[in-house]
């Protein structure tokens, strides 16, 4: 079996707010605006996952009348904790979410804090398998959301963001993630050499994911602790960064299309690692 790890090279737009509406059912007038620490979520699974995992982050809730029975636990929590909510019309929800894909519920919430790399590594139980994704240039919110959904499904321990990355969770990404955004922490990386050293010291191997030219993913063993480094949607990943990784892998296919998009490729990579750990 060809194993790239045996000869590893190891060098040192915010949506517009709706026109203010008269409060109903215990609501209060909305705040004048949201800061960078707040996020507008929409979609049933995204809002419900936030409530299940971080109810204290909920700051304001807007809902269609038809969802009152389904959202009773959340509404009771809002009343008990003096969090405003309002029952609004469909058109107002469209304005609040800046889309029709809100499924009848919109929420203003506090963002989950981004972890520093050392802080995140300290949360991982010693000696246990762990998988992480290093997102090198991924920017499309729908791809980001799909990656979060796959990452939550396959138990990814963290999404690693390089220095200077402007990628952040948006309402669109959270909706596409279908609740996955609350299960996968975002981690801020230090400068590249330091980040790689810290990850290797913690037992992680780093695998660059290439459209072509890498070792066949399915003919390669994978370490129990692994970071897949994913490139940008159009340009792919930085070649210098790829060479700094311990291995370079590609997903083989028929050649009928040039490649998978980054979200689809991520799902394949994660499934491969997860399946190997389950043996």
């Amino acid at each position: 079996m060809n194993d790239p790890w045996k000869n590893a090279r190891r060098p040192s737009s915010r949506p517009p707010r709706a026109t203010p509406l008269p409060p109903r059912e215990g609501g209060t007038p909305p705040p004048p605006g949201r800061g960078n620490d707040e996020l507008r979520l929409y979609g049933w699974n995204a809002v419900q996952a936030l409530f299940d995992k971080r109810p204290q982050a909920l700051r304001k809730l807007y809902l269609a009348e038809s969802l009152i029975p389904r959202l009773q636990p959340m509404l009771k929590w809002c009343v008990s904790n003096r969090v405003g909510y309002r029952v609004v019309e469909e058109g107002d929800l469209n304005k609040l979410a800046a889309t029709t894909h809100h499924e009848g519920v919109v929420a203003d919430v506090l963002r989950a804090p981004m972890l520093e790399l050392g802080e995140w590594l300290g949360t991982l139980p010693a000696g246990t398998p762990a998988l992480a994704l290093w997102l090198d240039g991924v920017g499309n919110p729908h791809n980001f959301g799909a990656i979060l959904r796959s990452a939550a499904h396959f138990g990814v321990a963290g999404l690693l963001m390089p220095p200077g990355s402007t990628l952040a969770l948006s309402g669109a990404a959270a909706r596409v993630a279908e609740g996955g955004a609350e299960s996968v922490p975002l981690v801020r990386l230090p400068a590249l050499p330091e980040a790689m050293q810290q990850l290797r010291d913690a037992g992680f191997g780093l695998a660059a994911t290439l459209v072509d030219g890498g070792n066949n993913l399915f003919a390669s063993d994978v370490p129990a602790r692994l970071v897949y480094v994913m490139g940008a949607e159009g340009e792919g990943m930085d070649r210098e960064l790829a060479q700094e990784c311990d291995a370079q892998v590609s997903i083989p296919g028929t050649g009928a299309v040039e490649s998978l998009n980054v979200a689809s490729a991520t799902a394949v990579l994660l499934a491969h690692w997860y399946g190997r750990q389950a043996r």
Side-chain angles (χ1 to χ4, degrees), residues 112-182:
M114 186 174 286
L115 304 178
E116 300 297 331
L117 179 58
E119 179 185 7
W120 172 73
L121 289 171
T123 68
L124 303 178
T128 58
L131 180 62
L133 289 171
W134 179 321
L135 302 184
D136 177 46
V138 175
N140 182 285
H142 289 86
N143 280 339
F144 186 35
I147 287 171
L148 281 165
R149 184 173 184 176
S150 295
H153 180 77
F154 290 111
V156 168
L159 265 59
L160 313 183
M161 306 296 183
S165 172
T166 59
L167 185 62
L169 186 67
S170 65
R175 185 191 67 80
V176 174
E178 294 287 358
E182 290 298 323

Side-chain angles (χ1 to χ4, degrees), residues 15 70 76 92 106 113 116 134 152 155 176 193 204 210 236 247 261 265 276:
R70 192 177 183 189
K76 290 179 180 178
D92 295 303
V106 176
E116 300 297 331
W134 179 321
V176 174
F204 282 90
L210 307 178
N261 75 13
R276 290 299 180 95

Side-chain angles (χ1 to χ4, degrees), residues 195-218:
M196 286 188 161
Q197 190 60 53
Q198 285 191 48
L199 289 165
R200 286 171 175 146
D201 289 347
F204 282 90
L206 287 88
T209 57
L210 307 178
V211 172
D212 54 49
N215 292 282
N216 184 333
L217 173 70
F218 304 120

Side-chain angles (χ1 to χ4, degrees), residues 202-258:
F204 282 90
L206 287 88
T209 57
L210 307 178
V211 172
D212 54 49
N215 292 282
N216 184 333
L217 173 70
F218 304 120
S220 304
D221 287 328
V222 292
R225 285 199 162 194
L226 176 62
V227 177
Y228 279 126
V229 185
M230 310 300 300
E233 289 91 346
E235 300 82 5
M237 72 171 297
D238 181 86
R239 289 286 166 165
E240 291 186 9
L241 175 57
Q243 290 304 312
E244 295 291 328
C245 293
D246 304 315
Q248 296 79 36
V249 297
S250 298
I251 300 171
T254 64
V257 294
E258 181 179 0

